[in-house]
């Protein structure tokens, strides 16, 4: 029989500590939609997405009500459009993005991911068309998310793409200058991208995936912070143990939701993404967990070690709670989406350089970083190159979601609204990497032994 | 299907009676009740079986939510599995 304490604890986690399931993401293969005529292709994908995901939102809401656990987002990921639309005779995939947007609106999901290309080794014709379409596609649609994988441990770094993405990000920012460069918040550049990630903006339905799948992303930084309050002053063994236990409980909820969604929708269960995803709401911050461990303000010396422990313990605790784990799994550090990170930038303790160090030990990378609008494309490219190098060498996923906000300077505020949050503009090193970025070509895949 | 009903709020006469009444009317069988009062706050956890219930979980949730508002307490109804999965391996 359940104990009263257990029941009250679960409800306290949900009500006071903001435990939620962050997203149910349905992956849909679009490989059978290919057609030389763009219009037909768009009709095909619209029909397939709206047919397959017709009941996604209603099912999510039913589960949410029955179990009393908030499910914040219901989303869709599709086959990378550079692959699915490759055979279209066109020089722009804007109509494809518009069809995705319309399908997302029709089924009621707030984001659809997969306006993507995988180019770590080189470009195909479809990759080229997709990348050149990104700025306009993100500016003219509301719910479409785009991602590019331009590096991997096995292939090295595609520096031609790194260079190009600096320019693409600048262009996307300029096209959405009147909404604080919101297009850039929907674009992420990866190294070692996972193909089953349910979180936006980087979700897409990988080429090795089945016809369709249900992936679930859990969250709950507030629950971890609350649990750590009970072990104040105790050693790191106790800290790690507490995080593991909490992560186990959080993940079990994700597993239940994923199984139920899979069963009710008749779509195979893919993975649980064991992530601590913050929101700008008070009490839902990853930075505050690090501060609970004893760091005065996120970004101070010790932050990287604290984050490493957190990231590892979350995975260890979550692994046993789920039958299949995948995606990005770990702690996210999106600056504008985390009240503690925002405060840390404002008080001067968290800088871009420290964030880069933190990305070596956490699940993703430089995420939701607002920078001055006059940053050069080459500097953005160089930031991407640095992040890709960390991912490539350390055999981990890294990513960059950077937002050069036109007309804004260091210290200005920018507000993206909703879950994307708000942020002060961060300082960027003013020395130039232009000649480095101009070289182009590929950085070769790294040695995997003699690891010093 | 088993459900967990949690009631939290200011203590007053008749909370258990009114909730039990709603459950009985719709043929929901109470299996276990646990209650205490801390600093004047009423905490109750009820486990019940909806196997023979004359209504769906969603309707019962709404009905008890409304009843809670009438008597000034918060009533939550959830499928039992969320608690079982979190606290049992």
């Amino acid at each position: 029989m359940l104990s009263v304490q257990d029941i009250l604890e679960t409800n306290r986690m949900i009500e006071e500590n903001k435990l939620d399931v962050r997203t149910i993401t349905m992956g849909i293969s679009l490989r059978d939609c290919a057609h030389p005529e763009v219009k037909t292709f768009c009709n095909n994908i619209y029909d397939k997405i709206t047919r397959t995901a017709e009941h996604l939102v209603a099912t999510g809401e039913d589960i949410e009500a029955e179990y009393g656990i908030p499910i914040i987002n219901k989303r869709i990921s599709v086959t990378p459009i550079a692959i699915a639309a490759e055979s279209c005779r066109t020089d722009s995939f804007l109509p494809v993005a518009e069809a995705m947007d319309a399908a997302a609106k029709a089924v009621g999901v707030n984001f659809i991911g997969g306006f993507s290309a995988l180019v770590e080794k080189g470009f195909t014709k479809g990759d080229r068309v997709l990348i050149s379409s990104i700025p306009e596609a993100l500016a003219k649609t509301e719910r479409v998310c785009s991602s590019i994988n331009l590096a991997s441990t096995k292939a090295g770094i595609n520096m031609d793409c790194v260079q190009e993405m600096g320019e693409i990000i600048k262009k996307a920012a300029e096209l959405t200058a009147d909404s604080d460069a919101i297009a850039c918040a929907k674009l992420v550049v990866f190294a070692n991208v996972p193909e089953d990630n349910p979180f936006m903006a980087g979700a897409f339905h990988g080429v090795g995936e089945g016809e369709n799948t249900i992936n679930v992303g859990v969250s709950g930084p507030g629950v971890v912070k609350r649990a750590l309050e009970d072990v104040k002053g105790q050693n790191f063994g106790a800290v790690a143990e507490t995080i593991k236990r909490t992560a186990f409980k959080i993940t079990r909820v994700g597993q239940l939701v994923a199984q139920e969604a899979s069963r009710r929708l008749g779509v195979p269960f893919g993975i649980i993404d064991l992530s601590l995803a913050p929101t700008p709401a008070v009490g839902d911050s990853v930075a505050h967990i690090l501060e609970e461990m004893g760091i005065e303000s996120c970004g101070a010396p010790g932050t990287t070690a604290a984050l490493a422990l957190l990231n590892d313990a979350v995975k260890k605790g979550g692994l046993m709670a789920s039958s299949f784990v995948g995606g990005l799994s770990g702690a996210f550090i999106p600056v504008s989406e985390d009240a503690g990170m925002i405060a840390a930038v404002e008080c001067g303790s968290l800088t871009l350089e420290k964030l880069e160090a933190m990305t070596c030990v956490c699940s993703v990378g430089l995420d939701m970083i607002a920078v001055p609008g006059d940053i050069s494309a080459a500097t953005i490219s160089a930031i991407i190159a640095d992040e890709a190098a960390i991912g490539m060498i350390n055999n981990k996923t890294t990513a960059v979601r950077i937002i050069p906000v036109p007309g804004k300077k260091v210290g200005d505020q920018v507000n993206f609204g909703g879950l994307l949050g708000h942020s002060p503009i961060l300082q960027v090193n003013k020395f130039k990497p232009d000649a480095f970025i101009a070289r182009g070509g590929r950085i070769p895949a790294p040695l995997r032994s003699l690891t010093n | 299907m088993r459900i967990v009903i949690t009631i939290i709020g200011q203590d007053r006469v008749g909370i258990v009676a009114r909730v039990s009444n709603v459950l009985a009317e719709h043929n929901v069988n109470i299996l276990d009740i646990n209650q205490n009062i801390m600093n004047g706050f009423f905490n109750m956890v009820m486990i019940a079986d909806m196997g023979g219930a004359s209504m769906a979980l969603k309707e019962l949730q709404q009905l008890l939510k409304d009843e809670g508002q009438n008597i000034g307490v918060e009533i939550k109804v959830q499928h039992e599995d969320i608690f079982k999965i979190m606290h049992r391996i």
Side-chain angles (χ1 to χ4, degrees):
Chain A
M1 194 57 93
L2 285 160
S3 82
V4 175
Q5 278 73 21
D6 288 347
I7 290 170
L8 294 178
E9 183 195 352
T10 300
N11 281 345
R12 193 198 67 211
M13 286 163 81
I14 296 169
E15 282 155 21
E16 292 172 29
N17 308 136
K18 300 189 167 57
L19 171 63
D20 56 48
V21 169
R22 187 51 49 86
T23 181
I24 299 181
T25 303
M26 179 185 275
I28 303 172
S29 168
L30 300 182
R31 278 156 55 178
D32 57 350
C33 296
H35 198 279
E37 296 301 327
V38 184
K39 199 160 182 297
T40 312
F41 175 75
C42 291
N43 288 340
N44 289 350
I45 67 167
Y46 180 89
D47 289 347
K48 183 157 190 193
I49 294 167
T50 51
R51 190 175 66 243
T52 314
E54 186 184 357
H55 302 296
L56 173 64
V57 172
T59 304
E61 285 168 357
D62 283 348
I63 295 171
E64 185 170 0
E66 280 176 35
Y67 294 97
I69 175 84
I71 300 170
I72 308 298
N73 299 302
K74 293 91 189 170
R75 292 168 168 174
I76 293 170
S77 63
V78 297
T79 307
I81 293 298
I83 297 169
E86 183 119 47
S87 57
C88 292
R89 288 190 295 257
T90 180
D91 58 1
S92 168
F93 287 157
L94 174 63
V96 180
E98 287 170 335
M100 290 166 71
D101 203 39
K105 284 175 181 156
V107 297
V109 297
N110 62 353
F111 281 122
I112 180 166
F115 199 77
S116 305
L118 311 174
V119 295
E120 59 267 32
K121 198 89 170 275
F123 305 92
T124 66
K125 183 182 132 282
D127 295 331
R128 294 263 185 217
V129 176
L130 183 115
I131 291 172
S132 66
S133 306
I134 289 174
E136 218 182 348
L138 296 183
K140 292 195 171 162
T141 61
E142 186 192 339
R143 306 188 187 194
V144 174
C145 289
S146 176
S147 55
I148 301 294
N149 190 64
L150 49 64
S152 76
T153 302
K154 292 249 163 73
I157 305 176
N158 180 344
M159 290 299 289
D160 290 328
C161 188
V162 168
Q163 181 183 16
E164 192 170 349
M165 287 315 293
E167 285 153 17
I168 294 286
I169 289 169
K170 284 285 283 183
K171 198 166 165 206
E174 280 154 21
L175 289 180
T176 49
D178 55 354
S179 53
D180 285 335
I182 190 75
C184 300
K186 299 182 284 179
L187 172 60
V188 55
V189 179
F190 276 105
N192 288 324
V193 69
E195 305 211 343
D196 51 7
N197 156 35
F199 286 100
M200 296 297 169
F204 63 87
H205 187 70
V207 290
E209 299 284 317
E211 184 61 25
N212 47 27
T213 182
I214 288 288
N215 297 324
V216 165
V218 300
S219 186
V223 185
V224 175
K225 154 96 171 52
R226 171 66 191 77
L228 287 180
E229 287 170 11
D230 292 339
V231 292
K232 225 175 242 316
Q234 295 185 32
N235 69 25
F236 286 114
V239 171
E241 197 59 27
T242 303
I243 297 170
K244 276 159 60 183
R245 283 174 186 277
T246 312
F248 176 85
K249 291 176 182 173
I250 294 171
T251 309
R252 291 288 279 180
V253 175
Q255 172 80 11
L256 172 68
V257 168
Q259 275 173 345
E260 273 304 303
S262 160
R263 186 180 65 77
R264 294 180 193 196
L265 289 162
V267 171
F269 163 50
I271 55 96
I272 301 285
D273 190 316
L274 310 174
S275 285
L276 289 182
T279 70
V282 173
D284 209 14
S285 159
V286 168
H288 287 158
I289 299 175
L290 308 179
E291 291 168 6
E292 183 60 40
M293 285 191 214
I295 306 287
E296 182 184 5
S297 175
C298 182
T303 299
T304 310
L307 183 59
L309 182 155
L310 172 66
N311 201 52
D312 183 62
V314 164
K315 289 181 202 170
K316 286 174 178 164
L319 269 174
M320 196 178 151
S322 172
S323 40
F324 297 96
V325 171
L328 294 166
S329 287
F332 291 172
I333 52 168
V335 174
S336 73
E337 299 175 0
D338 186 311
M341 299 275 172
I342 295 165
V345 172
E346 279 169 349
C347 75
S349 77
L350 185 60
T351 61
L352 192 57
E353 285 71 22
K354 187 62 179 179
L355 280 161
E356 184 180 323
M358 291 162 73
T359 66
C360 301
V361 300
C362 79
S363 75
V364 197
L366 293 172
D367 197 11
M368 291 303 287
I369 309 279
V371 294
D374 61 1
I375 187 174
S376 73
T379 298
I380 294 176
S381 294
I383 291 171
I384 293 171
D386 284 344
E387 219 27 56
I390 290 171
M392 172 182 78
I393 296 291
N394 295 304
N395 202 24
K396 76 182 286 293
T397 302
T398 50
V400 175
R401 185 161 49 149
I402 191 166
I403 303 140
V405 188
K408 297 271 167 122
K409 310 181 295 296
V410 174
D412 288 351
Q413 286 284 334
V414 57
N415 193 348
F416 304 111
L419 281 179
L420 296 172
H422 62 97
S423 172
I425 303 283
L426 275 81
Q427 173 101 45
V428 180
N429 187 313
K430 67 179 179 4
F431 295 93
K432 292 191 175 68
D434 298 35
F436 177 75
I437 293 303
R439 286 175 184 270
R442 271 196 288 148
I443 292 182
L447 190 65
R448 299 292 296 139
S449 62
L450 309 173
T451 49
N452 303 309
Chain B
M1 174 181 59
R2 302 212 310 192
I3 55 169
V4 172
I5 303 160
T6 44
I7 306 171
I8 295 171
Q10 200 73 39
D11 190 25
R12 54 167 282 180
V13 173
I15 299 176
V16 179
R18 291 181 68 167
V19 173
S20 312
N21 212 18
V22 173
L23 297 177
E25 269 172 33
H26 298 95
N27 209 29
V28 178
N29 187 25
I30 299 171
L31 303 172
D32 189 27
I33 300 184
N34 219 307
Q35 73 156 87
N36 62 45
I37 292 158
M38 271 164 41
N39 307 326
F41 261 87
F42 180 84
N43 271 296
M44 187 173 89
V45 175
M46 221 180 226
I47 297 172
D49 184 4
M50 284 194 73
S54 58
M55 67 195 322
L57 174 55
K58 263 189 166 171
E59 294 164 86
L60 183 66
Q61 284 173 329
Q62 192 56 49
L63 205 62
L64 283 176
K65 197 176 166 200
D66 295 344
E67 188 68 21
Q69 270 163 4
N70 292 339
I71 48 180
V73 293
E74 196 194 323
I75 305 183
K76 247 181 116 160
V77 184
Q78 291 156 281
H79 195 298
E80 180 196 43
D81 282 357
I82 183 139
F83 305 102
K84 275 174 51 182
I85 197 158
M86 189 184 268
H87 299 285
R88 302 274 180 282
I89 293 181

